[in-house]
Amino acid sequence: DAKTTQPNSMESNEEEPVHLPCNHSTISGTDYIHWYRQLPSQGPEYVIHGLTSNVNNRMASLAIAEDRKSSTLILHRATLRDAAVYYCILRDVGRGGSADGLTFGKGTHLIIQP
Amino acid sequence: DAGVIQSPRHEVTEMGQEVTLRCKPISGHNSLFWYRQTMMRGLELLIYFNNNVPIDDSGMPEDRFSAKMPNASFSTLKIQPSEPRDSAVYFCASSSQAGAGNEQFFGPGTRLTVL
């Protein structure tokens, strides 16, 4: 699987936007960009995913660079509940549509200050 | 839906004992995954099933680990014999191939401590 690079940690203030970067310079044409997060003492949870275009959902927005070699997860108004480890993961879903496992890196530990 | 259900939530056992972890995926999901999380190695995929068939078990650390999925609503991960280095949180996840992007839904995990 192609590799992703994320900062080890980031800090932000409550109710401010947060931009979490991810570099994936070796991304292939069939790699989707997925984001998961893991709240303390919980299992990971899906946040958002995209291929080429920017994506929005109720949790976050995903901005994908034009060359797809980087992406940014945007939390528009962080709350204390958003403190978690955020994982940027590439998934090739072009292989016959089978659902492969996720390859987690170390992720970004997001700290939210009240 | 109740989500992915794992049992037990906590397990403490002694070295050499057999440990069985259980998972009930979300109804209608046809892919099931077992992961392990430790401080040293982070989250690692152990094995996954599609339509109850094991597809990739290359992440299973050694022969002491085995996993089965006898039907679409139940899977087990067994460690026999257990060792202290198996202490970790074990997560089960399920997904539907029909879901957008095949997002995975994780259970709450089983925290295993082997003394």
Side-chain angles (χ1 to χ4, degrees), chain A residues 34 36 38 43-44 91 100 102, chain B residues 35 37 48 101-102 104 106:
Chain A
H34 284 242
Y36 281 73
Q38 187 173 21
R91 298 193 71 201
D100 292 348
L102 298 169
Chain B
Y35 294 87
Q37 186 170 33
Y48 74 93
N102 294 333
Q104 293 186 15
F106 284 76

Side-chain angles (χ1 to χ4, degrees), chain B residues 59-93:
Chain B
M60 296 285 262
E62 30 190 297
D63 291 344
R64 298 184 296 107
F65 286 68
S66 63
K68 293 182 179 179
M69 192 164 185
N71 57 63
S73 60
F74 183 65
S75 176
T76 60
L77 177 67
K78 185 177 294 186
I79 308 172
Q80 166 63 19
S82 59
E83 297 183 2
R85 59 192 167 124
D86 302 330
S87 297
V89 181
Y90 291 81
F91 290 103
C92 175

Side-chain angles (χ1 to χ4, degrees), chain B residues 90-105:
Chain B
Y90 291 81
F91 290 103
C92 175
S94 70
S95 72
S96 166
Q97 291 188 13
N102 294 333
E103 67 178 274
Q104 293 186 15
F105 296 82

Side-chain angles (χ1 to χ4, degrees), chain B residues 4-66:
Chain B
V4 175
I5 299 173
Q6 292 187 246
S7 64
R9 293 293 309 276
H10 301 273
E11 175 82 22
V12 180
T13 190
E14 292 188 346
M15 182 174 62
Q17 296 298 306
E18 177 180 297
V19 175
T20 300
L21 311 181
R22 297 173 175 80
C23 176
K24 177 178 168 55
I26 292 173
S27 177
H29 284 188
N30 56 359
S31 294
L32 184 139
F33 308 82
W34 283 100
Y35 294 87
R36 178 173 69 173
Q37 186 170 33
T38 62
M39 288 293 292
M40 290 296 293
R41 300 176 66 89
L43 271 159
E44 304 173 282
L45 175 69
L46 298 178
I47 185 171
Y48 74 93
F49 298 81
N50 280 345
N51 297 314
N52 310 339
V53 176
I55 302 300
D56 184 357
D57 65 353
S58 59
M60 296 285 262
E62 30 190 297
D63 291 344
R64 298 184 296 107
F65 286 68
S66 63

Side-chain angles (χ1 to χ4, degrees), chain A residues 14-41:
Chain A
E14 196 176 11
E15 299 188 1
E16 290 186 357
V18 179
H19 292 237
L20 296 163
C22 181
N23 287 321
H24 29 77
S25 58
T26 59
I27 191 170
S28 73
T30 53
D31 281 331
Y32 280 71
I33 303 159
H34 284 242
W35 285 81
Y36 281 73
R37 72 179 185 181
Q38 187 173 21
L39 301 172
S41 300

Side-chain angles (χ1 to χ4, degrees), chain A residues 85-104:
Chain A
V85 179
Y86 287 78
Y87 299 97
C88 171
I89 300 169
L90 300 183
R91 298 193 71 201
D92 183 352
V93 294
R95 286 177 274 177
S98 65
D100 292 348
L102 298 169
T103 300
F104 288 86

